[in-house]
Amino acid sequence: MYGNDFPADDTSSGLLGEVEAAETALREAAERGRHGAAGADPAAYFAEVIAADQKVEPRDWMPEAYRATLIRQIAQHAHSEIIGMQPEGNWITRAPSLKRKAILLAKVQDEAGHGLYLYAAAETLGVSRDELVDLLLAGRQKYSSIFNYPTLSWADMGTIGWLVDGAAIVNQVPLCRCSYGPYARAMIRICKEESFHQRQGYELLHTLAHGTPAQREMAQDSVNRWWYPSLAMFGPPDTDSTHSAQSMAWKIKRFSNDELRQRFVDMCVGQAEVLGLTLPDPALCWNDERGGYDFTQPDYAELMRVIKGAGPCNRQRMEHRRRAHREGAWVRAAAAAYAAKQASKKEQASKKEKVA
Amino acid sequence: MSEYSEPTSQPGGAPPAPLWEVFVRARRGLAHTHVGSLHAADAELALHNARDLYTRRQEGVSIWVLPAAAITASSPDEKDAFFDPAADKVYRHPTFYEVPEGAAHL
Ligand SMILES: [Fe+2]
Ligand SMILES: [Fe+2]
């Protein structure tokens, strides 16, 4: 449905090309079809579906651990989209031009939409959105650690688009091939929208980096602050990652944390050069043997601290979300009251009609 | 039963707004296609929310919303038994028939 909205060069290569390829693969796998049904051995059937790179759908039998893993992952992903509106929402009223304000508004609105697509995907697994929201508000489910860092300057709007949305895309493009149908389809939608997020950020940063010395300095300072937290978005190193092996076997996850992190670094180096900005890592160096850049790992102890709640903005983000939820209660109540009123009006009108 | 598994009961509070399935017609001439779902108090709000959520980039020229609870779906477990009656009726396909040599426009 989005196919025509992007210029042709986008679909032939790069990340958007991978999204298109995932979409095509999804269609082809569906067309190959599959004979037989779950029948007496649903577990064997489930394994066959996974092995054939086909999609598991909401009412298919699935192992309880598969369901639980997906609920946890999709919910955490949805929460991240919603909490992720805050660092940028912080700058909407201070955008330096109407054009930048309109772009930032559209971007933040997209993130709300991503949250909703994902909550809807999670609901197909038999959990309700209200329940997930309650778990987030109670602090019992997590969101991405990156959103616990503050947005201190306007340049952060550029860096977030470039690095944070960029890292999210690298993480999410393989999820377009996830074995769970509703999640894969939601990710295809989301990845297509993410591309705009990354580009508007990159353009913003490029403008600053080629502006006055003060603007340039602001851009560099921003990249310095966001680089390592962005690297940490890929999660702990493979040696410490707990869920990976099973998720890979179920084809929920396709690449390890370290593989994705490497891919991200390799993409960013050239992009930083074009910006004329420096990535804050003196150890960054091309490794011919590995065919990738050597780089300094992020501080994983810091990542763990931020995940556990001790990041610079954890409390502020949660308080804001709780307040927004509380203050929105009257809107939900009003919508329900209005719907009830309209329904009863309709009912009375139809009764009258019958009498007459 | 709808395509969805039964949601677990609510941890207190008001019942959630009903779930709606959203179908979008991408362009005149194409069929409405299922794009996802959303919660809304009534049909009108569901339509507005669907516009805001699923057509922010001109993805459609028409939207249908319908209550998820109103959908009756066939069960995947019965897939074979349910669709079996069609499996042994190859004579419903034109390729079942041999066309004599020389016969054109068939
Ligand atoms: Fe997003
Ligand atoms: Fe984004």
Coordinates of all heavy atoms in Angstrom, one line a residue, chain A residues 177-211:
Chain A
R177 N 10.6 -10.0 9.2 CA 10.6 -11.4 8.8 C 10.2 -12.3 10.0 O 10.4 -13.6 9.9 CB 11.9 -11.9 8.2 CG 12.2 -11.2 6.9 CD 13.6 -11.6 6.4 NE 13.9 -10.9 5.1 CZ 13.6 -11.4 3.9 NH1 13.0 -12.6 3.8 NH2 14.0 -10.7 2.8
C178 N 9.8 -11.7 11.1 CA 9.5 -12.5 12.3 C 8.4 -13.5 12.0 O 7.5 -13.4 11.1 CB 8.9 -11.5 13.3 SG 8.1 -12.3 14.7
S179 N 8.5 -14.7 12.7 CA 7.6 -15.8 12.4 C 6.1 -15.5 12.8 O 5.2 -16.2 12.3 CB 8.0 -17.1 13.1 OG 8.1 -16.9 14.5
Y180 N 5.9 -14.5 13.6 CA 4.5 -14.2 14.0 C 3.9 -13.2 13.1 O 4.3 -12.0 13.1 CB 4.4 -13.8 15.5 CG 3.0 -13.6 16.0 CD1 2.2 -14.7 15.9 CD2 2.5 -12.4 16.4 CE1 0.8 -14.7 16.3 CE2 1.2 -12.3 16.8 CZ 0.3 -13.5 16.8 OH -1.0 -13.4 17.2
G181 N 2.9 -13.6 12.4 CA 2.3 -12.8 11.3 C 1.9 -11.4 11.7 O 2.4 -10.4 11.0
P182 N 1.1 -11.2 12.7 CA 0.7 -9.8 13.0 C 1.9 -8.9 13.4 O 1.8 -7.7 13.1 CB -0.3 -10.0 14.2 CG -0.8 -11.3 14.0 CD 0.3 -12.2 13.4
Y183 N 2.9 -9.4 14.0 CA 4.0 -8.6 14.4 C 4.8 -8.3 13.1 O 5.2 -7.1 12.9 CB 4.9 -9.4 15.4 CG 6.0 -8.6 16.1 CD1 5.9 -7.3 16.3 CD2 7.1 -9.3 16.6 CE1 6.9 -6.6 17.0 CE2 8.1 -8.6 17.2 CZ 8.0 -7.3 17.5 OH 9.0 -6.6 18.1
A184 N 5.0 -9.3 12.3 CA 5.8 -9.0 11.0 C 5.1 -8.0 10.2 O 5.8 -7.0 9.7 CB 5.9 -10.3 10.2
R185 N 3.8 -8.0 10.1 CA 3.1 -7.1 9.2 C 3.1 -5.7 9.9 O 3.3 -4.7 9.1 CB 1.6 -7.6 9.0 CG 1.6 -8.8 8.1 CD 0.2 -9.2 7.7 NE -0.6 -9.7 8.8 CZ -0.7 -11.0 9.1 NH1 -0.1 -11.9 8.4 NH2 -1.5 -11.4 10.1
A186 N 3.0 -5.6 11.2 CA 3.1 -4.3 11.8 C 4.5 -3.7 11.6 O 4.7 -2.5 11.4 CB 2.8 -4.4 13.3
M187 N 5.5 -4.6 11.7 CA 6.9 -4.1 11.5 C 7.1 -3.5 10.1 O 7.9 -2.6 9.9 CB 7.9 -5.2 11.8 CG 8.1 -5.5 13.3 SD 8.0 -4.1 14.4 CE 9.3 -3.1 13.7
I188 N 6.5 -4.2 9.1 CA 6.7 -3.7 7.8 C 6.1 -2.3 7.6 O 6.8 -1.3 7.1 CB 6.0 -4.6 6.8 CG1 6.8 -5.9 6.7 CG2 5.9 -4.0 5.4 CD1 6.1 -7.1 5.9
R189 N 4.9 -2.0 8.2 CA 4.4 -0.7 8.2 C 5.3 0.3 8.9 O 5.5 1.4 8.4 CB 3.1 -0.7 9.0 CG 1.8 -1.2 8.4 CD 0.6 -0.8 9.3 NE 0.1 0.4 9.0 CZ -0.7 0.6 7.9 NH1 -1.0 -0.4 7.1 NH2 -1.2 1.8 7.6
I190 N 5.7 -0.1 10.1 CA 6.5 0.8 10.9 C 7.9 1.1 10.2 O 8.3 2.3 10.2 CB 6.8 0.1 12.3 CG1 5.5 0.1 13.1 CG2 7.9 0.9 13.1 CD1 5.5 -0.6 14.4
C191 N 8.5 0.1 9.7 CA 9.8 0.4 9.1 C 9.7 1.4 7.9 O 10.6 2.2 7.7 CB 10.5 -0.9 8.6 SG 11.2 -1.8 10.0
K192 N 8.7 1.3 7.2 CA 8.5 2.3 6.1 C 8.4 3.7 6.6 O 8.8 4.6 6.0 CB 7.3 1.9 5.2 CG 7.6 0.7 4.4 CD 6.4 0.2 3.6 CE 6.7 -1.0 2.7 NZ 5.5 -1.4 2.0
E193 N 7.7 3.8 7.8 CA 7.6 5.2 8.3 C 8.9 5.6 9.0 O 9.2 6.8 9.0 CB 6.4 5.2 9.3 CG 5.1 4.8 8.6 CD 3.9 4.9 9.6 OE1 4.1 5.2 10.8 OE2 2.8 4.7 9.1
E194 N 9.6 4.7 9.5 CA 10.9 5.0 10.2 C 11.9 5.7 9.3 O 12.7 6.5 9.7 CB 11.5 3.8 10.9 CG 10.8 3.3 12.1 CD 10.8 4.2 13.3 OE1 11.5 5.2 13.2 OE2 10.1 4.0 14.2
S195 N 11.8 5.4 8.0 CA 12.8 5.9 7.1 C 12.6 7.4 7.0 O 13.6 8.1 7.0 CB 12.5 5.3 5.7 OG 13.1 6.0 4.7
F196 N 11.4 7.9 7.1 CA 11.2 9.4 7.1 C 11.9 10.0 8.4 O 12.5 11.0 8.4 CB 9.7 9.7 7.0 CG 9.2 10.8 7.9 CD1 9.7 12.1 7.8 CD2 8.2 10.5 8.8 CE1 9.1 13.1 8.6 CE2 7.6 11.5 9.6 CZ 8.1 12.8 9.5
H197 N 11.7 9.3 9.5 CA 12.3 9.8 10.8 C 13.8 9.9 10.7 O 14.3 10.9 11.1 CB 11.9 8.8 11.9 CG 10.5 8.6 12.1 ND1 10.0 7.7 13.1 CD2 9.4 9.2 11.5 CE1 8.6 7.8 13.0 NE2 8.3 8.6 12.1
Q198 N 14.4 8.9 10.1 CA 15.8 8.9 10.1 C 16.3 10.0 9.1 O 17.2 10.8 9.5 CB 16.4 7.6 9.6 CG 17.8 7.4 9.7 CD 18.3 6.1 9.1 OE1 17.7 5.6 8.2 NE2 19.5 5.6 9.5
R199 N 15.6 10.2 8.0 CA 16.1 11.2 7.1 C 15.9 12.6 7.5 O 16.7 13.5 7.3 CB 15.4 11.0 5.7 CG 15.9 9.8 5.0 CD 15.4 9.7 3.6 NE 15.8 8.5 3.0 CZ 15.6 8.2 1.8 NH1 15.0 9.1 1.0 NH2 15.9 7.0 1.3
Q200 N 14.7 12.9 8.2 CA 14.5 14.2 8.7 C 15.6 14.6 9.7 O 16.1 15.7 9.8 CB 13.1 14.5 9.2 CG 12.7 13.7 10.4 CD 13.1 14.3 11.7 OE1 13.2 15.5 11.8 NE2 13.4 13.5 12.7
G201 N 16.0 13.6 10.5 CA 17.0 13.9 11.5 C 18.3 14.1 10.9 O 19.1 15.1 11.3
Y202 N 18.7 13.3 9.9 CA 19.9 13.4 9.3 C 20.0 14.8 8.6 O 21.0 15.5 8.6 CB 20.1 12.3 8.3 CG 21.5 12.2 7.7 CD1 22.5 11.6 8.5 CD2 21.8 12.6 6.4 CE1 23.8 11.5 8.0 CE2 23.1 12.5 5.9 CZ 24.1 11.9 6.7 OH 25.4 11.8 6.2
E203 N 19.0 15.2 7.9 CA 18.9 16.5 7.2 C 19.1 17.6 8.2 O 19.8 18.6 8.0 CB 17.6 16.6 6.4 CG 17.6 17.9 5.5 CD 16.2 18.4 5.3 OE1 15.6 19.0 6.3 OE2 15.7 18.3 4.2
L204 N 18.4 17.5 9.3 CA 18.5 18.6 10.4 C 19.9 18.7 10.9 O 20.4 19.8 11.0 CB 17.5 18.2 11.5 CG 17.1 19.2 12.6 CD1 15.9 18.6 13.4 CD2 18.2 19.6 13.5
L205 N 20.5 17.6 11.1 CA 21.9 17.6 11.7 C 22.9 18.1 10.6 O 23.8 18.8 10.9 CB 22.2 16.2 12.1 CG 23.2 16.0 13.2 CD1 22.7 16.8 14.5 CD2 23.3 14.5 13.6
H206 N 22.6 17.7 9.4 CA 23.5 18.2 8.3 C 23.4 19.7 8.1 O 24.4 20.4 7.9 CB 23.1 17.5 7.0 CG 24.0 17.7 5.8 ND1 23.9 18.8 4.9 CD2 25.1 17.1 5.5 CE1 24.9 18.7 4.1 NE2 25.6 17.7 4.3
T207 N 22.2 20.3 8.3 CA 22.0 21.7 8.2 C 22.8 22.4 9.3 O 23.5 23.4 9.1 CB 20.5 22.1 8.4 OG1 19.8 21.3 7.4 CG2 20.3 23.6 8.1
L208 N 22.7 21.9 10.6 CA 23.4 22.5 11.7 C 24.9 22.3 11.5 O 25.7 23.2 11.8 CB 23.0 21.8 13.0 CG 21.6 22.1 13.5 CD1 21.3 21.3 14.8 CD2 21.4 23.6 13.7
A209 N 25.3 21.1 11.1 CA 26.8 20.9 10.9 C 27.4 21.8 9.9 O 28.6 22.0 9.9 CB 27.0 19.4 10.6
H210 N 26.6 22.3 9.0 CA 27.1 23.2 7.9 C 26.7 24.6 8.2 O 26.6 25.5 7.3 CB 26.7 22.7 6.5 CG 27.3 21.4 6.2 ND1 26.9 20.2 6.6 CD2 28.4 21.2 5.4 CE1 27.7 19.2 6.2 NE2 28.6 19.8 5.4
G211 N 26.3 24.9 9.4 CA 25.8 26.3 9.8 C 26.9 27.1 10.4 O 28.1 26.9 10.1

